[in-house]
Amino acid sequence: MIFIFGTGYHGRAAFRVCKRINVKIYAFLDNDKKKISNLIFKRRIFHPLELKKKNYNNATIILCGRNITDQHKQLKKINQSLKIKIWGYKKLIQSKKQIDLREKKIKEILLYVINILNKNDISYWIDRSGLLSIMRKEKFSLISDIDIGVNFREKDKLFNLFNSKKFQIEKTFNFKKKIIKLSFKSKNNIFIFEPGIIDFIFYIFGKEKAIQFGNKKKYVKKKFLLNLENVKKYGINLKIPSTPKKYLKSIYGKNWIARPNFYRNPQKNHIKNYA
């Protein structure tokens, strides 16, 4: 009996890999109470505490997301007899067909978004995950989503600009709860491949720092964003910080160029050596 812990990007990727190699997944696990008892890929989502039951002794749990350390500790407290498998990036790589299909969807969304930003003179830059892909010369389809950075002051204008039935567009803003979301997702069968996603990151600019709205722990030095330059992807001119290597080093550290096999959430302590 095999479970996948997590229903996010990495958990979904793990399921598609299992499907490709004919490994049957019994169900998913998730700590989000809103997801419990729902279905994903026609499999039930359980809370991890469900594994306390004796009939789940010796069950196999696949850990593959950004919270591997916390999940590992949680499972050991729940049931010592569980068999835990750790899957890193290399294990989760999708098939060439899946990657190419997703790349096509991402290109469609990116063309739509960038054209509107340019037509309306919105200053933006390809941020974090998207910038990593550009500098690593990798396909966008190999990351969970593409981040686009913008000034928080452009919020109202941006929310009114985008309206398309071709993509799933999510617009959420709650000032009191410090929540803001503007994202674009392709419409496709998730059994076949992961939807292409573009997320906007809204920054509040201070004297020296640009801080993400809703998350004071995530910020960059304002000097990196004073000048932008163009790079081409899919034949599209995309704006990036003029010193992208220094920018990425300030966010991810000196080893930013190397893709880690295991994603580590920078806001949490993670076990360093999973094999």
Side-chain angles (χ1 to χ4, degrees):
M1 193 176 296
I2 303 174
F3 294 79
I4 294 175
F5 200 148
T7 56
Y9 171 79
H10 297 92
R12 296 191 296 269
F15 179 85
R16 293 189 201 94
V17 170
C18 289
K19 183 180 178 183
R20 190 169 73 234
I21 61 178
N22 294 317
V23 172
K24 293 184 179 181
I25 299 301
Y26 176 73
F28 282 78
L29 302 172
D30 206 294
N31 282 306
D32 187 343
K33 293 180 180 179
K34 294 179 181 179
K35 296 180 179 180
I36 306 307
S37 296
N38 291 333
L39 296 177
I40 181 170
F41 297 118
K42 298 182 180 180
R43 269 69 174 178
R44 187 71 61 189
I45 302 172
F46 294 107
H47 191 280
L49 289 175
E50 186 77 11
L51 298 176
K52 283 187 174 182
K53 295 180 180 178
K54 290 183 179 180
N55 54 315
Y56 294 129
N57 283 348
N58 299 313
T60 297
I61 317 298
I62 296 174
L63 305 184
C64 55
R66 64 179 61 194
N67 298 308
I68 288 174
T69 300
D70 292 340
Q71 292 170 344
H72 191 277
K73 290 178 180 178
Q74 182 182 10
L75 292 175
K76 285 299 182 182
K77 288 180 180 179
I78 291 172
N79 191 333
Q80 288 287 332
S81 70
L82 297 172
K83 297 176 182 177
I84 298 175
K85 291 188 176 182
I86 310 297
W87 283 18
Y89 166 74
K90 294 176 183 177
K91 185 77 174 179
L92 297 173
I93 292 177
Q94 308 292 280
S95 70
K96 183 182 183 301
K97 181 180 179 181
Q98 289 170 320
I99 291 171
D100 290 344
L101 285 170
R102 188 169 189 247
E103 194 78 4
K104 184 179 179 180
K105 291 292 185 180
I106 291 173
K107 180 180 178 180
E108 290 177 359
I109 302 174
L110 197 60
L111 274 168
Y112 167 74
V113 170
I114 298 303
N115 282 337
I116 289 180
L117 292 176
N118 289 338
K119 285 180 182 178
N120 291 276
D121 296 319
I122 302 291
S123 180
Y124 74 90
W125 63 97
I126 303 299
D127 202 16
R128 294 182 173 267
S129 59
L131 185 57
L132 277 174
S133 287
I134 289 173
M135 299 309 295
R136 288 172 176 166
K137 298 181 179 180
E138 294 179 337
K139 291 184 176 182
F140 281 144
S141 51
L142 296 177
I143 57 177
S144 60
D145 54 35
I146 300 171
D147 296 320
I148 296 180
V150 289
N151 194 315
F152 181 78
R153 292 180 179 179
E154 302 280 15
K155 171 185 65 66
D156 292 335
K157 188 174 182 180
L158 284 169
F159 272 45
N160 291 325
L161 281 176
F162 297 106
N163 185 22
S164 174
K165 294 181 179 180
K166 191 173 183 180
F167 317 110
Q168 296 179 42
I169 303 178
E170 183 178 348
K171 303 175 185 179
T172 304
F173 179 65
N174 188 314
F175 185 80
K176 289 184 179 180
K177 293 184 178 181
K178 299 293 182 182
I179 296 172
I180 187 168
K181 188 173 183 64
L182 176 59
S183 69
F184 303 78
K185 181 187 293 186
S186 64
K187 295 179 179 179
N188 57 265
N189 187 340
I190 65 169
F191 273 91
I192 300 173
F193 66 97
E194 184 71 10
I197 298 175
I198 291 179
D199 283 327
F200 276 81
I201 299 178
F202 292 83
Y203 287 86
I204 296 176
F205 284 74
K207 290 183 178 181
E208 297 182 355
K209 298 178 181 178
I211 303 171
Q212 285 189 28
F213 178 82
N215 192 342
K216 292 181 179 179
K217 292 181 180 181
K218 288 190 175 182
Y219 63 86
V220 293
K221 291 182 179 180
K222 182 180 176 181
K223 66 179 183 180
F224 290 125
L225 303 173
L226 295 178
N227 296 297
L228 302 173
E229 64 181 37
N230 289 327
V231 296
K232 279 197 172 181
K233 185 86 171 180
Y234 311 130
I236 311 169
N237 282 324
L238 302 174
K239 297 183 186 297
I240 65 171
S242 59
T243 55
K245 292 181 180 179
K246 291 182 179 179
Y247 182 75
L248 290 171
K249 182 180 178 181
S250 72
I251 298 172
Y252 298 105
K254 63 181 181 179
N255 295 322
W256 63 268
I257 191 66
R259 175 187 281 276
N261 192 28
F262 296 98
Y263 177 89
R264 295 188 181 96
N265 190 330
Q267 296 179 17
K268 295 184 179 182
N269 296 320
H270 278 247
I271 294 174
K272 294 183 179 180
N273 297 310
Y274 274 129

